[in-house]
């Protein structure tokens, strides 16, 4: 089950049965997997993507990246993986689809920030 013991107790106290809590937990797991699939689909056919990533020594607010691949996995509500650009990569620690043209990823070391990636630089 996705929910920790405190959350399960609170949900029971709010009136949910164990079966209802299990069903809600499965919906969270399914939604996380669907989000991971949608993010991978977003990057799948892109050669270049634009972002609002803060890059040291960059004069522009919008950065262009050559994408090699993204590899995501899920565990319960956790979405993690790796995004590889031409010459460097970064761990992914969460993400969501904002629009058909834009996703937002929470990136780990060395970026440690939420970054929007898009096919349309004007949308940033």
């Amino acid at each position: 089950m996705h929910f920790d013991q405190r959350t399960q107790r609170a949900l029971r106290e709010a009136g949910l049965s164990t079966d209802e809590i299990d069903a809600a937990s499965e919906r969270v797991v399914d939604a996380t997997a669907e989000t991971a699939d949608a993010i991978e689909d977003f990057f799948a056919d892109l050669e270049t993507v634009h972002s609002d990533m803060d890059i040291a020594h960059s004069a522009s607010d919008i950065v262009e990246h050559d994408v090699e691949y993204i590899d995501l996995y899920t565990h319960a509500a956790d979405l993690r993986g790796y995004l590889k650009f031409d010459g460097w990569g970064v761990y992914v620690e969460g993400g969501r689809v904002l629009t058909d043209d834009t996703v937002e990823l929470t990136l780990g070391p060395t970026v440690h920030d939420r970054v929007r990636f898009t096919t349309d630089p004007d949308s940033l």
Side-chain angles (χ1 to χ4, degrees):
M1 178 176 294
H2 160 69
F3 301 116
D4 64 35
Q5 294 296 321
R6 284 187 297 269
T7 303
Q8 290 178 46
R9 184 174 54 248
L11 291 170
R12 279 193 297 278
E13 290 171 0
L16 280 99
S17 70
T18 300
D19 289 342
E20 291 169 324
I21 295 170
D22 282 340
S25 178
E26 286 304 314
R27 286 194 295 273
V28 169
V29 170
D30 291 344
T32 304
E34 289 170 8
T35 298
D37 289 343
I39 292 170
E40 285 183 333
D41 288 347
F42 172 81
F43 283 99
D45 296 325
L46 293 178
E47 292 181 17
T48 302
V49 68
H50 308 276
S51 81
D52 61 357
M53 186 183 303
D54 187 19
I55 301 285
H57 311 295
S58 175
S60 176
D61 291 336
I62 299 173
V63 181
E64 187 174 284
H65 309 276
D66 293 329
V67 177
E68 287 192 21
Y69 67 86
I70 187 166
D71 183 22
L72 300 177
Y73 66 92
T74 63
H75 178 71
D78 291 335
L79 184 154
R80 302 208 183 273
Y82 195 77
L83 175 58
K84 178 77 167 82
F85 300 113
D86 182 32
W88 70 287
V90 64
Y91 290 104
V92 176
E93 297 180 346
R96 63 187 178 145
V97 176
L98 300 177
T99 68
D100 288 342
D101 299 325
T102 307
V103 300
E104 180 181 72
L105 301 178
T106 301
L107 303 178
T110 57
V111 176
H112 294 292
D113 202 1
R114 294 173 94 174
V115 178
R116 290 179 295 156
F117 294 92
T118 186
T119 58
D120 176 17
D122 293 331
S123 70
L124 295 174

